[in-house]
Amino acid sequence: MNNRYIHSWEAALLFVLLLTGCDPAGTTQMNILGDLLNNGNGPTMSISQLLDSINTYNYRIKGFDIHFPLTDTDERPLEDKPYVNPATGSKMFFSMSTDDADFSIGTVTIEQKTAGEVSFGNGTSAPSYTKYVQSRGKGVYALYYMPETSDSTTRRIWSRVLLYVYPGADSIMTTRGYAASQHVFHANMQAHYVHSAKNGYPMSREKNAVLHLSSILNSSEGHAMSGKELAHQDGEEEIFKVDLPVDGSDERPHYGKTYRNEETGSTIVFYDTVIESDTISPVGTADLATVIHEWETKPNATVSYRVHARGNGIYTFYNIRHKGCHCIHRDQHPDGYPEYSPCLVYIKPGGKELLITWGYENSKREYKLER
């Protein structure tokens, strides 16, 4: 890298630091990354120039921390599967079609559950948003958008985030310039287990149990399992266990009323919503504001699902994903596919109480119908 290039970026860094020195943790690092991608030759920097600058910032800027486990492989993200961050539930869907082929290889639609996880501002407060994906080489990608009022000078604006696609393309790292902003998204649960083992990120036994229940419910076998089959499960996955006291009854929930867990304040409300053209034949919808683990004190969001009655009072919850997508495998799922939440609910006889479990005994909680 030539000296003039280095000096120009040092000046830019000083300016950014003066402006953001009192901002919350991470703001300085994000702004530096944003300036790197947007200023001067930032939009067209080669991978070697980009990495040289990043390494300089890692060394000189307190808190700046980007370390990609690069190989010679230049992986493309998969476009026939969603990438999921199991820690937050956020998702990324890639499409390899684009109307800006000079700069992008395609687009990514992000369903961001945690504010600022991948990006914020520029319309990212919506439930989902789409940005262009630009390859920088060696599996590293930048994201950008084009404002509606853009001109020839400001046509493209790069987000303050970089993506790295791991060899095999089963997992993707996102970073916004500092360690706490690093997240890993996975194309499937097996990829999550493998990545965690290889990179020394052990998950708690409780979280592994939840992920194991998710893998069961989202398998082809799990889609067809009856209430009795789902109600009693255990295995070698440490503390994974499902034990719901099903009997001969098959209660329906009380619609339009709130089931509440007094300990956590979690709530479940069922509705007799009619959903046509769904071959699963849901018995309605439900709003879940729930916690999973015993160390969580209160729910932080309400999520709406369709309700799948499995028999014997056992219910699972799902939404249809990937409907109307433009990926190369769209003919294989023209109506989308169900994605199940990793929990089971049992409606007790009489319908005034229910049990919920997320795959292990300490996640089992009782909810009572509010009068």
Side-chain angles (χ1 to χ4, degrees):
M1 187 185 301
N2 61 51
N3 289 333
R4 184 170 64 180
Y5 178 78
I6 293 175
H7 291 325
S8 66
W9 276 109
E10 287 178 341
L13 281 178
L14 178 61
F15 180 70
V16 170
L17 290 171
L18 289 173
L19 289 178
T20 62
C22 296
D23 284 347
T27 302
T28 295
Q29 292 78 13
M30 287 188 290
N31 286 339
I32 290 172
L33 180 59
D35 282 348
L36 174 64
L37 295 172
N38 285 281
N39 290 342
N41 67 340
T44 57
M45 291 174 68
S46 68
I47 185 62
S48 60
Q49 290 176 317
L50 182 63
L51 294 176
D52 282 347
S53 295
I54 287 173
N55 289 334
T56 299
Y57 299 157
N58 285 337
Y59 176 72
R60 296 187 180 185
I61 306 301
K62 183 178 180 180
F64 196 95
D65 184 18
I66 297 179
H67 297 279
F68 295 123
L70 296 179
T71 68
D72 291 332
T73 304
D74 185 18
E75 290 285 2
R76 288 288 188 263
L78 303 174
E79 63 171 343
D80 59 339
K81 293 183 178 180
Y83 288 86
V84 182
N85 181 349
T88 65
S90 296
K91 300 175 183 178
M92 297 191 292
F93 303 83
F94 290 86
S95 170
M96 294 301 110
S97 61
T98 178
D99 58 4
D100 192 28
D102 289 342
F103 275 79
S104 74
I105 63 164
T107 61
V108 59
T109 298
I110 301 170
E111 294 180 1
Q112 184 169 263
K113 304 297 185 182
T114 304
E117 180 180 340
V118 180
S119 187
F120 63 77
N122 309 324
T124 59
S125 60
S128 67
Y129 55 92
T130 300
K131 294 194 176 184
Y132 291 93
V133 181
Q134 182 195 32
S135 173
R136 294 301 181 101
K138 292 193 174 184
V140 177
Y141 296 86
L143 305 182
Y144 69 92
Y145 72 101
M146 292 187 284
E148 295 181 0
T149 59
S150 62
D151 53 32
S152 58
T153 304
T154 61
R155 185 184 178 197
R156 301 176 184 87
I157 297 179
W158 270 259
S159 300
R160 296 175 293 180
V161 64
L162 288 172
L163 278 58
Y164 171 69
V165 181
Y166 287 89
D170 279 341
S171 301
I172 294 178
M173 174 201 298
T174 67
T175 178
R176 309 197 65 203
Y178 58 104
S181 72
Q182 182 175 307
H183 300 277
V184 181
F185 291 68
H186 306 282
N188 52 61
M189 287 300 103
Q190 183 61 32
H192 167 70
Y193 294 135
V194 171
H195 178 87
S196 297
K198 285 184 177 179
N199 293 278
Y201 303 134
M203 293 192 65
S204 69
R205 298 183 306 158
E206 291 85 356
K207 290 182 179 178
N208 276 331
V210 176
L211 291 172
H212 186 64
L213 181 57
S214 175
S215 67
I216 292 173
L217 292 174
N218 287 291
S219 67
S220 57
E221 294 81 5
H223 288 180
M225 289 174 72
S226 68
K228 284 186 176 181
E229 291 173 320
L230 290 170
H232 302 290
Q233 304 176 65
D234 56 25
E236 298 178 357
E237 289 75 15
E238 298 188 14
I239 65 170
F240 174 75
K241 183 178 181 181
V242 175
D243 185 20
L244 296 173
V246 298
D247 52 28
S249 64
D250 186 15
E251 290 287 349
R252 285 288 187 263
H254 288 260
Y255 292 112
K257 296 184 179 181
T258 301
Y259 290 86
R260 182 181 299 276
N261 174 259
E262 292 297 335
E263 179 183 0
T264 64
S266 300
T267 59
I268 302 176
V269 183
F270 293 88
Y271 303 94
D272 57 350
T273 309
V274 176
I275 302 175
E276 299 179 352
S277 303
D278 187 332
T279 57
I280 294 176
S281 300
V283 297
T285 59
D287 291 341
L288 273 66
T290 54
V291 302
I292 301 176
H293 304 295
E294 62 268 27
W295 60 84
E296 297 172 327
T297 57
K298 61 182 180 179
N300 59 11
T302 299
V303 183
S304 297
Y305 295 101
R306 301 181 185 190
V307 181
H308 184 179
R310 300 299 187 109
N312 291 95
I314 300 293
Y315 296 86
T316 52
F317 306 90
Y318 71 96
N319 279 313
I320 300 297
R321 302 297 187 189
H322 236 208
K323 187 173 183 179
C325 74
H326 299 286
C327 75
I328 60 175
H329 300 294
R330 57 183 174 272
D331 293 339
Q332 298 177 15
H333 47 73
D335 298 319
Y337 56 82
E339 183 178 85
Y340 284 83
S341 176
C343 66
L344 295 167
V345 159
Y346 167 63
I347 306 292
K348 294 183 178 182
K352 294 183 179 180
E353 297 180 358
L354 63 81
L355 286 174
I356 188 171
T357 179
W358 299 84
Y360 64 100
E361 278 298 299
N362 283 347
S363 72
K364 188 188 295 181
R365 294 187 177 91
E366 185 177 82
Y367 289 64
K368 295 184 178 181
L369 194 65
E370 291 186 340
R371 295 182 178 179

